[in-house]
Amino acid sequence: MTPTLPTLLVLDADPPPRLGRLTGRARIEHTDAAGLAGRLPTADVLLVWDFASHAVRDAWPGPGPRPRWVHAASAGVDHLMCPELAVSDTVVTNARGVFDQPIAEYVAALVLAVAKDLPRTLELQRERTWRHRETRRVAGTRACVIGSGPIGRAIARTLKALDVTTALVGRVPRTGVHGPGDLDRLISRADWVISAAPLTEQTHGMFDTRRFGVMQPSAVFVNVGRGGLVDEDALAEALRRRWIAGAALDVFASEPLGGENPLWGLPGLIVSPHMSGDTVGWRDELGSQFVELYERWAAGRPLRNVVDKKRGYVPGH
């Protein structure tokens, strides 16, 4: 008797994942957000390939069985977590490890671009205007990186290579990592305040009017974590009033950012479309990572990148 293959349900995004290595090892089915609720009861594994979708959060509380394992093809899992999933026996994993160095490089590029006034240089070139200016030296400046996971640590390493004095802040203090109690003191001295934290109940809206007021007027704020970490109205006020020198956002409370959103026209703000971790070949890397995890799961071996569903991220960093 032929054994029944596990059903792998993929919440699709375009382009779909390459899962050819799982041919004959899984019954692969695909769905969009509208069909997810009806397909969940028949799935053993759910691959959330559409990393921007909130469909899992909406569909999970419905009737019937649920997959034993959910994998998010993203570092953050806040978009899929709901109370019913959090208390279930379902294992949740994420794409930890894929985006660390690309995001660190992107942050370093933003720091250098702002310090060397590259946006203005490009504007002047388009205007065919020759205007000599002085720029900031990066070496010897201070950075505070909020988020001590793999992404935050990669950012800290990369900035240190530029001779930036870097402090790392995490959920709990430990060797080489400051705790939340040190955050205000550190950002008050930092030239670069870099947000790379997961979005949890504790971190939601942590960068608000008070926090931007703590920063020094020459500080630049960078968010490559989650949009919900930032009170965007408070950031807009801080930039308009010149409480801080500038900011760069790669993530937003609502994505994509609408053309009418006032953030586009704020002075000193660089807007990018959630692309800091997306280097050439990133989708293939995500697909290969999932296949390797599936092979472990099918063999009954412990999964890597298991999310603590109460905390909202992979512990142990």
Side-chain angles (χ1 to χ4, degrees):
M1 183 175 179
T2 304
T4 302
L5 294 176
T7 298
L8 166 59
L9 181 62
V10 182
L11 177 60
D12 268 333
D14 190 35
R18 296 182 182 181
L19 302 174
R21 282 168 52 189
L22 298 183
T23 301
R25 304 162 70 183
R27 184 192 303 110
I28 302 174
E29 300 179 355
H30 298 262
T31 187
D32 57 13
L36 179 62
R39 306 288 290 277
L40 278 177
T42 64
D44 297 294
V45 179
L46 173 64
L47 168 57
V48 186
W49 189 249
D50 186 352
F51 67 85
S53 174
H54 291 79
V56 176
R57 181 191 298 170
D58 297 333
W60 195 270
R66 288 296 180 261
R68 292 174 280 162
W69 168 34
V70 174
H71 178 74
S74 58
V77 297
D78 53 279
H79 61 293
L80 57 86
M81 294 302 298
C82 62
E84 292 82 1
L85 175 54
V87 301
S88 72
D89 294 332
T90 297
V91 176
V92 176
T93 57
N94 72 354
R96 181 187 189 197
V98 172
F99 301 108
D100 307 354
Q101 191 56 36
I103 292 178
E105 293 172 3
Y106 198 88
V107 169
L110 287 171
V111 167
L112 289 168
V114 172
K116 302 308 176 185
D117 200 22
L118 294 185
R120 183 60 177 150
T121 295
L122 295 175
E123 289 177 7
L124 291 170
Q125 180 178 347
R126 284 190 292 269
E127 297 169 3
R128 301 186 178 221
T129 300
W130 181 281
R131 184 174 300 160
H132 181 271
R133 288 111 59 223
E134 295 178 346
T135 63
R136 298 175 64 182
R137 180 178 293 190
V138 171
T141 59
R142 296 175 180 267
C144 178
V145 180
I146 299 90
S148 61
I151 293 173
R153 296 200 302 270
I155 292 170
R157 287 195 304 270
T158 303
L159 292 180
K160 287 177 182 177
L162 297 174
D163 202 18
V164 176
T165 301
T166 305
L168 196 58
V169 178
R171 188 179 67 90
V172 294
R174 56 195 184 276
T175 303
V177 178
H178 296 267
D182 292 332
L183 179 57
D184 286 353
R185 176 178 61 83
L186 292 170
I187 65 174
S188 71
R189 304 165 57 195
D191 301 287
W192 317 99
V193 178
I194 299 156
S195 166
L199 182 60
T200 66
E201 290 183 5
Q202 291 72 34
T203 62
H204 187 276
M206 66 183 297
F207 293 100
D208 54 12
T209 298
R210 190 187 68 79
R211 284 262 159 74
F212 290 120
V214 168
M215 298 177 197
Q216 56 185 348
S218 60
V220 173
F221 175 73
V222 178
N223 187 19
V224 290
R226 306 296 285 175
L229 298 169
V230 178
D231 181 334
E232 292 175 352
D233 290 337
L235 174 61
E237 181 182 25
L239 288 170
R240 292 192 188 104
R241 296 192 177 192
R242 301 187 183 278
W243 292 349
I244 60 175
L249 302 180
D250 185 56
V251 287
F252 300 86
S254 179
E255 297 179 4
L257 195 65
E260 74 291 344
N261 195 300
L263 290 175
W264 287 106
L266 281 178
L269 178 61
I270 296 175
V271 170
S272 59
H274 204 147
M275 58 180 283
S276 61
D278 302 346
T279 52
V280 175
W282 66 284
R283 290 185 177 87
D284 289 340
E285 192 171 352
L286 285 174
S288 296
Q289 181 189 56
F290 173 74
V291 169
E292 291 172 5
L293 286 172
Y294 184 91
E295 291 171 343
R296 295 181 68 89
W297 178 82
R301 299 164 59 197
L303 286 169
R304 300 191 180 102
N305 293 4
V306 175
V307 172
D308 182 322
K309 293 185 290 183
K310 293 182 179 179
R311 296 183 185 178
Y313 54 88
V314 179
H317 49 51

